[in-house]
Amino acid sequence: MSDLVTLTRDGEIGIITVNNPPVNALSPGVPEGISAAIEEVTKDDSIKGAILIGSGQTFIAGADIKEFGKVTSGERKEGIDFLGVLLAIEDCSKPVVAAIHGTAFGGGLEVAMAFHYRVAIASAQVGQPEVKLGLIPGAAGTQRLPRLAGVAKAVQMCADGNPVKASEALAAGIIDAVVDGVDAAALQQGAVEFLRGKLAAGEKPRKTRERNEKLGDEASNGPIFAAAREMAKKAARGMMAPQAAIDAVEAATRLSFAEGCAREAELFKQCLFSDQSKALIHVFFGEREVSKIPDVPKDTPLIDIKSAAIVGAGTMGGGIAMNYANAGIPVLLKETTQEALDKGMATIRRNYENSVKKGRFSQEVMDKRMALITPTLSWAGFETADIVTEAVFEGMALKKEIFAELDRICKPGAILASNTSTLDVDEIASATSRPEYVIGHHYFSPANVMRLLEIVRGKATNKQVIATSMALARRLKKIGVLVGNCYGFVGNRMLHQYGREAQFLVEEGAKPQEVDAALYKFGMAMGPLAVGDLAGLDVGWRIRKEHAHLEKPGVRKPLVADQLCERGRYGQKTGAGWYRYDENRKPIPDAEVDQLIEELAAQAGIRRRTITEEEIIERTQYALINEGAKILEEGIALRAVDIDIVYLNGYGYPAWRGGPMWYADTVGLKKVYDRVCRFHEEHGELWTPAPLLRRLAEEGKSFAQYDKKS
Ligand code: NAD
């Protein structure tokens, strides 16, 4: 037996312990170790039964995710017969008990279900989260779970992938007892007592795979599967794994255990080798990767953030204040007028009340959070804040005025952050005597909901401020991505190109609803024109008017959005934009808009034609990708995967496509580059190919390979 799995004894009970820190993943050697321990338990007459427990904080938390990539890339041949190991556990002639603390997810739960009994401490969780990586359980999870939990519960757990608490698992029959105690030692003792009880009662091993009484029949199962498929279609739009998971659980109800396992294996393989699963695994590792900043060492000392302050209690300031309060950090919220302050606080209160109504947390939690937010009209208290975030109107003069004031008031070493979405962070910093403490914290609306935080590094920002900002993002339950200082940073700079193409397509002959439908079908949370209506078309219109003097003559620019605004069509807020909206805010295509588009196109001499769905996808996606490649080459993003994480968490990009840069890799950079060149010929300089895209395409490389090298 290896060090990964040990067998010790507590009297007549064998204690099998998995020691594979940090989470006891099922890396190579772990299944083999468990198998050897079970063999030993069978052989040793002094052992009457055994328990399996994880060392440290958890049971087997799941598969070793790195292994999936090794299998699909051909680096590793398929490993040991894991299904066989589980059968051998189940066939053990002596009773065996899985003792669960922490999490038993995925392969961890599959192992536990092959044991004759399962006990857990109250804080433990179990689940089959494979769908979140585009996979399904691959070691009989879809076959054993319905036998323990019944078909409805099993299909739900395998299709949505969400974890289940110990009490719920007990009620469902997944575990047999919840034992007292909070740690591994108490769990071990409880599990041993449980097993001794079973031995004393003379109970024989009980094989999960032979327990068919919860499998139901065709008549009772039909509606369960139909409802699950409908639900997955909506909740996991475009994803194949949830549907495959449902098929596999259905197989458990129709086939023998062995045949069901064979069907599950077939479906598992399809998922494992799919682009979707590869993309989701890329995202899983990407979320960890973005926290690595080459020139900011991991051990950079952090600034202790014990208190915060926000300037501006509008749409963004209020949401940002909630983030701090949710993390238990007291926060001052400053406005210029009592009216604006009251309005901001009322919005915060309403948001929290909605969460309480929906049962997300209790009134008590809400009261605590509200008490952490102190509304104010003065600067008093700012002198002790460890971090100040400015979220006033977007205007350089105003921002500089505020930063000059903060420079006078704030203590040395306090972080001064701006939530600007377009302005130059260095210029803002120049209003202070300490540009090294100035940084951009670009939240996304609604700031209390959206997970992305673009952290904008100015040329003087010091490493401590960067490291603290990244750590703070985690504390605020955000995903922080470090980006460089340029107009629009990463996300909005790319979005600009994407939105531009969406509008050009409309001018060239596609209907707004066709553009939106194609991108929705592609997997985007919303089509770009509907997003414009939601955010308000007037925002961009005002910015364009202000920057009109910077426009390059002769370069094509979108015509329709500004004209919609001229007609008072600002989007949802005025009941009309690209669409008309009914009282339920349902978008309705509008003949008036079609007519306006045709007129503007005719005036500009644009030839209208039929536009295919394929062209809509290529024009919009490749515009994102081409700009992304420029951003990457300029060092505005550290890696291609950083761009992907920005898009997935801030822009409703479908995770199963892996983000725009990963999507480009799946299409193939040669094809993307060739199309960009064609668009360049057809549409002119806005499509100038990014030199990096060209280089990678010519070298037959991918963005993922570029990331590995950089
Ligand atoms: P908003 O108009 O909703 O709020 C701005 C608030 O700042 C107002 O309540 C105003 O009274 C207050 N304010 C103005 N001057 C002030 C001062 N001197 N002291 C204190 N308060 C003052 O605007 P918003 O949408 O919250 O945008 C704020 C910032 O966030 C802007 O820089 C914007 O570009 C950026 N941003 C906005 C979004 C978005 O989607 N709305 C997303 C990301 C970033």
Side-chain angles (χ1 to χ4, degrees):
M1 223 169 298
S2 67
D3 291 346
L4 287 172
V5 181
T6 57
L7 174 62
T8 54
R9 286 161 181 75
D10 176 354
E12 78 291 17
I13 306 294
I15 313 286
I16 307 169
T17 308
V18 181
N19 308 292
N20 186 25
V23 294
N24 295 320
L26 283 166
S27 317
V30 173
E32 292 87 337
I34 298 173
S35 181
I38 291 286
E39 238 175 73
E40 183 65 28
V41 166
T42 312
K43 272 196 290 195
D44 188 333
D45 288 341
S46 69
I47 299 180
K48 302 294 176 221
I51 68 158
L52 174 78
I53 192 165
S55 68
Q57 302 297 314
T58 184
F59 189 72
I60 299 165
D64 184 341
I65 295 164
K66 284 196 294 297
E67 295 300 313
F68 295 128
K70 289 185 192 162
V71 172
T72 49
S73 66
E75 186 184 329
R76 188 168 78 78
K77 290 279 152 272
E78 273 161 66
I80 63 154
D81 170 18
F82 189 39
L83 269 178
V85 170
L86 300 189
L87 286 175
I89 295 171
E90 206 169 39
D91 287 339
C92 181
S93 56
K94 300 171 185 175
V96 287
V97 178
I100 303 169
H101 67 312
T103 55
F105 287 166
L109 181 56
E110 290 177 306
V111 170
M113 291 194 294
F115 278 68
H116 304 139
Y117 300 96
R118 283 146 297 281
V119 300
I121 56 174
S123 59
Q125 293 189 320
V126 303
Q128 297 286 175
E130 288 85 348
V131 285
K132 301 201 173 181
L133 293 177
L135 297 169
I136 67 166
T142 61
Q143 308 301 299
R144 284 196 179 92
L145 190 56
R147 288 173 160 86
L148 292 177
V151 174
K153 188 80 191 159
V155 85
Q156 177 209 325
M157 286 174 67
C158 292
D160 71 21
N162 291 332
V164 162
K165 292 192 183 121
S167 54
E168 203 182 331
L170 178 68
I174 303 168
I175 61 173
D176 302 289
V178 174
V179 303
D180 289 338
V182 293
D183 58 9
L187 171 65
Q188 180 168 326
Q189 196 190 341
V192 168
E193 274 164 26
F194 176 91
L195 178 53
R196 286 198 173 118
K198 294 291 170 200
L199 289 167
E203 286 196 30
K204 295 278 164 272
R206 183 186 66 161
K207 300 181 188 180
T208 306
R209 71 176 189 268
E210 290 175 356
R211 295 170 59 187
N212 296 336
E213 64 276 8
K214 284 191 174 177
L215 289 179
D217 56 29
E218 216 69 46
S220 64
N221 290 337
I224 296 175
F225 290 118
R229 288 191 172 99
E230 264 321 294
M231 175 81 127
K233 237 191 244 168
K234 288 195 197 114
R237 187 164 54 87
M239 279 184 64
M240 63 183 273
Q243 301 293 341
I246 297 166
D247 290 351
V249 176
E250 188 170 37
T253 66
R254 293 194 165 163
L255 306 173
S256 69
F257 180 79
E259 289 164 336
C261 286
R263 177 76 184 126
E264 181 197 75
E266 207 178 297
L267 290 161
F268 174 80
K269 210 164 177 180
Q270 280 170 16
C271 289
L272 180 65
F273 284 89
S274 70
D275 280 346
Q276 293 195 358
S277 171
K278 288 177 195 162
L280 287 160
I281 290 173
H282 158 74
V283 174
F284 176 86
F285 287 114
E287 291 200 351
R288 283 144 191 83
E289 192 69 17
V290 294
S291 68
K292 296 180 194 152
I293 299 159
D295 68 331
V296 179
K298 255 190 150 167
D299 55 0
T300 305
L302 300 181
I303 297 165
D304 194 11
I305 305 287
K306 288 205 283 290
S307 68
I310 316 276
V311 192
T315 313
M316 297 305 286
I320 299 168
M322 289 174 77
N323 291 331
Y324 279 97
N326 297 349
I329 302 171
V331 56
L332 284 172
L333 183 58
K334 183 182 183 304
E335 259 295 344
T336 42
T337 64
Q338 190 63 47
E339 196 192 344
L341 193 57
D342 291 345
K343 192 170 160 224
M345 288 303 286
T347 307
I348 294 175
R349 179 170 290 282
R350 207 172 42 246
N351 281 336
Y352 278 142
E353 278 167 356
N354 281 339
S355 295
V356 172
K357 262 189 226 140
K358 286 183 187 149
R360 292 209 186 104
F361 45 75
S362 64
Q363 182 66 41
E364 197 191 341
V365 170
M366 164 173 164
D367 294 344
K368 261 195 203 142
R369 292 181 181 183
M370 282 303 293
L372 285 168
I373 305 176
T374 307
T376 178
L377 292 174
S378 85
W379 291 110
F382 273 65
E383 68 284 354
T384 57
D386 299 307
I387 179 166
V388 181
T389 307
E390 165 279 310
V392 302
F393 303 129
E394 186 82 340
M396 185 55 94
L398 176 62
K399 304 245 179 204
K400 280 172 102 168
E401 204 180 287
I402 304 261
F403 272 75
E405 188 67 25
L406 292 175
D407 190 35
R408 274 191 288 279
I409 303 168
C410 295
K411 66 182 179 187
I415 296 179
L416 308 181
S418 172
N419 182 46
T420 179
S421 20
T422 53
L423 300 173
D424 180 347
V425 173
D426 290 330
E427 194 179 341
I428 295 175
S430 73
T432 74
S433 62
R434 41 173 139 175
E436 62 280 18
Y437 284 92
V438 177
I439 193 162
H441 279 189
H442 184 212
Y443 292 85
F444 288 72
S445 183
N448 54 314
V449 176
M450 296 296 284
R451 223 175 140 226
L452 178 64
L453 177 61
E454 273 187 330
I455 297 173
V456 189
R457 178 181 198 159
K459 64 174 187 282
T461 314
N462 80 23
K463 292 181 185 177
Q464 228 191 337
V465 170
I466 293 171
T468 305
S469 296
M470 295 296 289
L472 179 67
R474 280 192 292 279
R475 229 173 127 192
L476 302 185
K477 299 216 160 62
K478 305 276 165 202
I479 183 147
V481 180
L482 188 71
V483 300
N485 181 26
C486 67
Y487 187 84
F489 314 126
V490 168
N492 285 345
R493 178 169 154 185
M494 286 167 65
L495 190 73
H496 197 73
Q497 317 302 322
Y498 170 82
R500 170 201 91 200
E501 285 305 312
Q503 295 191 51
F504 287 170
L505 286 159
V506 165
E507 292 167 11
E508 289 165 34
K511 293 231 189 293
Q513 63 271 27
E514 288 167 357
V515 171
D516 280 348
L519 285 155
Y520 182 77
K521 194 167 146 206
F522 176 82
M524 303 300 293
M526 275 174 97
L529 304 171
V531 169
D533 276 357
L534 179 68
L537 300 175
D538 53 320
V539 182
W541 180 46
R542 293 216 172 87
I543 296 176
R544 281 189 293 276
K545 276 206 270 197
E546 215 170 288
H547 291 85
H549 60 287
L550 298 175
E551 270 167 23
K552 254 176 141 184
V555 176
R556 182 177 174 189
K557 58 175 192 175
L559 305 169
V560 185
D562 288 355
Q563 286 304 315
L564 289 172
C565 290
E566 296 285 353
R567 285 165 172 71
R569 301 182 70 118
Y570 293 177
Q572 287 198 19
K573 59 177 138 184
T574 55
W578 287 100
Y579 301 93
R580 248 181 329 110
Y581 290 88
D582 66 10
E583 58 284 2
N584 301 318
R585 303 209 158 190
K586 190 174 161 301
I588 302 160
D590 193 341
E592 194 185 315
V593 175
D594 292 342
Q595 201 191 337
L596 173 69
I597 294 167
E598 277 171 36
E599 278 168 21
L600 291 170
Q603 278 166 23
I606 296 168
R607 189 177 59 86
R608 308 256 301 159
R609 60 194 167 86
T610 307
I611 308 252
T612 62
E613 201 176 294
E614 189 189 6
E615 183 174 352
I616 294 171
I617 300 303
E618 290 189 343
R619 292 267 296 274
T620 52
Q621 295 303 314
Y622 298 177
L624 278 178
I625 295 161
N626 196 39
E627 194 66 21
K630 291 178 188 168
I631 281 173
L632 197 53
E633 197 161 29
E634 289 168 25
I636 295 293
L638 282 169
R639 293 152 292 235
V641 67
D642 292 43
I643 298 176
D644 288 336
I645 298 300
V646 164
Y647 261 77
L648 300 175
N649 293 287
Y651 295 88
Y653 205 92
W656 53 268
R657 296 233 188 237
M661 308 313 272
W662 183 265
Y663 171 67
D665 282 355
T666 62
V667 172
L669 295 193
K670 168 93 176 61
K671 177 174 171 195
V672 175
Y673 174 65
D674 287 348
R675 284 284 199 282
V676 168
C677 290
R678 207 186 74 204
F679 294 149
H680 187 209
E681 270 167 36
E682 289 170 2
H683 303 282
E685 78 171 276
L686 290 170
W687 277 100
T688 305
L692 177 65
L693 177 63
R694 175 175 160 196
R695 201 178 85 218
L696 292 174
E698 284 174 356
E699 290 171 0
K701 299 229 169 84
S702 63
F703 287 120
Q705 283 168 319
Y706 176 82
D707 272 2
K708 281 209 183 101
K709 281 219 189 104
S710 55

